Amino acid sequence: MTELTLVSEMARENHGSPQEEAALISLSPSTSHSPRPARPHTDLPDELVQAGWEKCWSKRESRPYYFNRFTNQSLWEMPVLGQHDVISDPLGLNAAPVPAEGATPETPKENKSQKRRLSEEMSSGEIIKKPKMDPTPVTPTAAVPSSPIIPGVSLDEKQLTALLKVTDIYWDLDIQSNIMVKPPPSSHALPPPSQALPPHPEVELLRSQLVLKLRQHYRELCQQREGIDPPRESFNRWLLERKVLDHGPDPLLPSDCDPAVSPSMFREIMNDIPMRLSRIKHREEAKRLLFKYAEAAKRLIESRSASSDSRKLVKWNVEDTFSWLRRDHLATKEDYMDRLEHLRRQCGPHMTAVAKDSVEGICSKIFHISREYVKRIREKHLALLREANIPEPGPVSSSPDKRVMCHPVRLSVPTLPSQGGVDVQLEGSLVCVRYKGESVRVNQSYFSKLFQLYRLSSIDDPGTDKFLARVWCLLRRYQVMFGTAQFEGSGLQGALPVNVFQALHRIFGVTAECFASPLNCYFKQYCSAFPDTDGYFGSRGPCLSFFPVSGSFEANPPFSEELMDAMVTHFENLLENSEQPLSFIIFIPEWRDPPTPALIRMENSRFKRHQLLLNAFQHEYRSGAQHLCKRDELYYKAVHNTAVLFLQNEPGFIKWGPTPERVQELSAAYKLSGRVSSSLGGGDKESTQEEGTSKDSTTT
């Protein structure tokens, strides 16, 4: 099979029909009506051909011009290498001597240099196909030509084709959006996303090492002080909860929070004192757990400084439990669990009182270590900026309160020079990106997705020289945030099934996600946690620093109670202050024991238009590790009910209101997704329930 055939097949995998493929062939910048003619290989020096230049013919002007297929530049005169700035001169009009009077091309505004989709570039077959060259001998010291797509990385055609191979698509980056946004108000306390420092592999490597050390400190403190392992995912939820109110400069680690003791971390450690309670399936397991809990409660109250009344009460309840276990041999699993709950209610407040200072010490210690680590990371980052003669970012000036089209985050600090030392190779079905021996991996399809997002969103790197370094930083950031254990953190980044996203867009006009990442996003416009690494791949910044005035959004937040509560406050403020159509469709777990504040607030919100309930094990999510996992591990069934709530202002309700027909169509989309479609039969229980009805359109 020829190289051109490989590329054509890859383009068909992305876009289906030949008609669609033909529609994606890019047009010449100097003519918007005719496809670019076939590339001749004559009349150009070899160094220009290798740099991507080709000589074409303009039907409109009836004369030749020069086009660069890598940077999308066009020139009337033959280009001169090394004398052109794409950012300041996108058409390259200053790259060559000024032509004769009247010869300056008049290029339509809409035909200026633009990012092209990967599918557009690959459909022409020009990325993979090497230019013809004279058969001159190559000396042993000659440099190996680098890939046109990823400069600085030596790849042949087969390697490049494999790296950008798309086998599965779980996104639609062609969906456009007309969302309007405004700057954050002066009262907004969180750091502006644009003030983040540009990513650098050296800084990201240091940050990842320090985060892993902090995780180890947390584990050791829990084991030494409380005799327990840290609660599963508690460190990850601590990161999420802290960033809700952190004013510090680091995108991941907190350093400026009040209070220093995290309510999330404190609550989760306390839930595991005196021991962690596991899920019980059998009677004998329940009996054994009750016995161990009673022993642990007695041991804790005897080893800590407690009042005499607390000691007596806990010991009496423990001895009563031991007596009941010795005499009641016919108890059921439910009897043991009821007895355990009774013991927890009786002893819990006293154990909390004696462990409170110790647990607060753990939370405070972790925060203060994090603050010291942030200082080290910041110093390293600023040193690199000084070496590149880039000034340290100054105070943020207030932005004018004007409405603009939504666009990816643009960092105000100039980017650091191109970073070397990052290489890439294919390992089976994964692409491995490596820096200083530290590897991060991503599925081939998702590597291609990142490249598409990069070409759509990055404006400071037209030659993609910094692409690999920025991919390494992005993947390393999410790798470290998730944690080191298998599947750890993936539940915090779960996404909706593709069919549900398609339904949300088709029925309710949704074009953006409020909580996503470059790895799991469905739309090319989304909010994410890290503006510094994600902005180059389309992120609009953190949701709590995002102020849209119009648009329809999907929100599936990570399962952090504090983050979900802050989300509700933010959405209600946005709906209150907008006169344009604004809609948020929110997916959160229906936790009722105890109920989460966010759920209660949304159910009582005056902006609530409808509520839908998805039953546990009857719907599913796409894994947060979808960029790494196998196809049969991509979806997992939800183990809890999911509440779907529609928060809309009046214009948003008129435009995208959840009518019974629309809600029914959304519910049907879940039955067509992933494994649920094969597991649900005609006689199975319905996977959704409606709670209440849509509010009348006059309700405000």
Side-chain angles (χ1 to χ4, degrees), residues 427-638:
E427 295 182 353
S429 62
L430 298 177
V431 176
C432 176
V433 188
R434 187 167 36 247
Y435 177 73
K436 289 191 173 180
E438 296 291 333
S439 299
V440 288
R441 292 170 175 80
V442 64
N443 183 282
Q444 292 168 279
S445 295
Y446 286 82
F447 184 80
S448 177
K449 176 193 181 184
L450 291 176
F451 183 77
Q452 294 181 58
L453 287 170
Y454 191 77
R455 293 301 299 265
L456 289 168
S457 306
S458 176
I459 63 172
D460 67 338
D461 187 23
T464 63
D465 297 277
K466 302 179 178 69
F467 171 69
L468 276 184
R470 288 171 174 173
V471 164
W472 188 90
C473 290
L474 183 149
L475 294 174
R476 185 69 166 184
R477 177 75 57 82
Y478 281 96
Q479 180 190 60
V480 169
M481 187 188 95
F482 277 7
T484 56
Q486 187 179 18
F487 303 121
E488 183 179 359
S490 60
L492 301 177
Q493 288 287 312
L496 303 179
V498 173
N499 284 337
V500 177
F501 271 121
Q502 292 172 340
L504 289 172
H505 172 63
R506 182 178 66 255
I507 307 166
F508 298 103
V510 173
T511 61
E513 300 161 73
C514 294
F515 299 91
S517 75
L519 298 169
N520 71 2
C521 65
Y522 177 80
F523 304 104
K524 64 182 177 183
Q525 44 275 334
Y526 59 92
C527 293
S528 68
F530 308 121
D532 59 328
T533 55
D534 300 356
Y536 301 109
F537 300 88
S539 173
R540 273 58 176 170
C543 178
L544 300 183
S545 297
F546 181 62
F547 288 82
V549 296
S550 65
S552 181
F553 301 87
E554 176 267 353
N556 177 25
F559 299 159
S560 162
E561 293 188 31
E562 289 76 13
L563 177 58
M564 290 190 289
D565 195 43
M567 173 198 70
V568 176
T569 300
H570 186 56
F571 286 173
E572 289 190 327
N573 288 338
L574 293 174
L575 294 165
E576 179 74 35
N577 296 317
S578 176
E579 298 177 353
Q580 301 297 318
L582 190 59
S583 169
F584 298 97
I585 304 177
I586 303 155
F587 298 74
I588 67 169
E590 196 215 19
W591 290 335
R592 298 286 185 184
D593 186 23
T596 57
L599 179 59
I600 299 301
R601 290 180 58 194
M602 284 192 288
E603 289 180 330
N604 296 322
S605 173
R606 70 185 185 92
F607 296 108
K608 175 194 157 189
R609 305 296 179 173
H610 191 77
Q611 182 170 346
L612 186 69
L613 180 66
L614 306 174
N615 290 329
F617 301 104
Q618 295 293 311
H619 67 290
E620 60 191 6
Y621 288 94
R622 215 162 70 244
S623 171
Q626 60 186 270
H627 59 287
L628 287 170
C629 66
K630 299 177 182 178
R631 187 179 302 181
D632 58 355
E633 299 172 345
L634 186 64
Y635 287 94
Y636 63 91
K637 292 188 178 181

Side-chain angles (χ1 to χ4, degrees), residues 257-326:
C257 300
D258 186 24
V261 175
S262 161
S264 170
M265 182 177 282
F266 179 85
R267 180 175 61 247
E268 295 200 39
I269 295 176
M270 277 297 186
N271 286 339
D272 280 6
I273 291 177
M275 62 170 290
R276 177 178 301 174
L277 299 179
S278 56
R279 187 173 298 173
I280 300 301
K281 296 182 180 179
H282 307 293
R283 173 182 176 275
E284 289 303 317
E285 291 178 345
K287 180 179 181 180
R288 189 159 48 248
L289 184 65
L290 175 59
F291 182 81
K292 288 184 176 180
Y293 187 90
E295 275 193 329
K298 181 180 179 181
R299 187 165 54 249
L300 175 68
I301 204 70
E302 289 177 344
S303 63
R304 304 292 175 91
S305 176
S307 65
S308 58
D309 290 341
S310 293
R311 289 179 185 275
K312 289 178 182 178
L313 192 146
V314 171
K315 287 184 176 181
W316 184 88
N317 277 280
V318 168
E319 291 301 329
D320 183 58
T321 299
F322 287 152
S323 299
W324 181 82
L325 284 168
R326 285 191 293 266

Side-chain angles (χ1 to χ4, degrees), residues 31 45 77 91 130 147 176 222 229 239 250 253 296 350 361 369 371 392 394 424 445 479 501 545 596 606 636 669:
T31 173
E77 301 295 327
L91 286 180
K130 280 188 176 179
S147 160
Q176 302 300 319
C222 288
D229 287 330
L239 290 174
D250 195 81
L253 288 174
H350 302 280
I369 295 175
R371 187 162 60 183
E392 183 176 346
V424 60
S445 295
Q479 180 190 60
F501 271 121
S545 297
T596 57
R606 70 185 185 92
Y636 63 91

Side-chain angles (χ1 to χ4, degrees), residues 89 153-154 168 224 241 260 271 328 467 594 624 639 685 691:
D89 183 18
V153 179
S154 176
D168 298 297
Q224 293 170 3
E241 179 261 331
N271 286 339
D328 199 336
F467 171 69
V639 297
K685 182 180 178 181
E691 294 189 358

Side-chain angles (χ1 to χ4, degrees), residues 94 171 251 668:
N94 299 321
W171 52 84

Side-chain angles (χ1 to χ4, degrees), residues 241-252:
E241 179 261 331
R242 293 281 84 184
K243 298 309 288 186
V244 171
L245 65 163
D246 181 48
H247 299 168
D250 195 81
L252 180 59

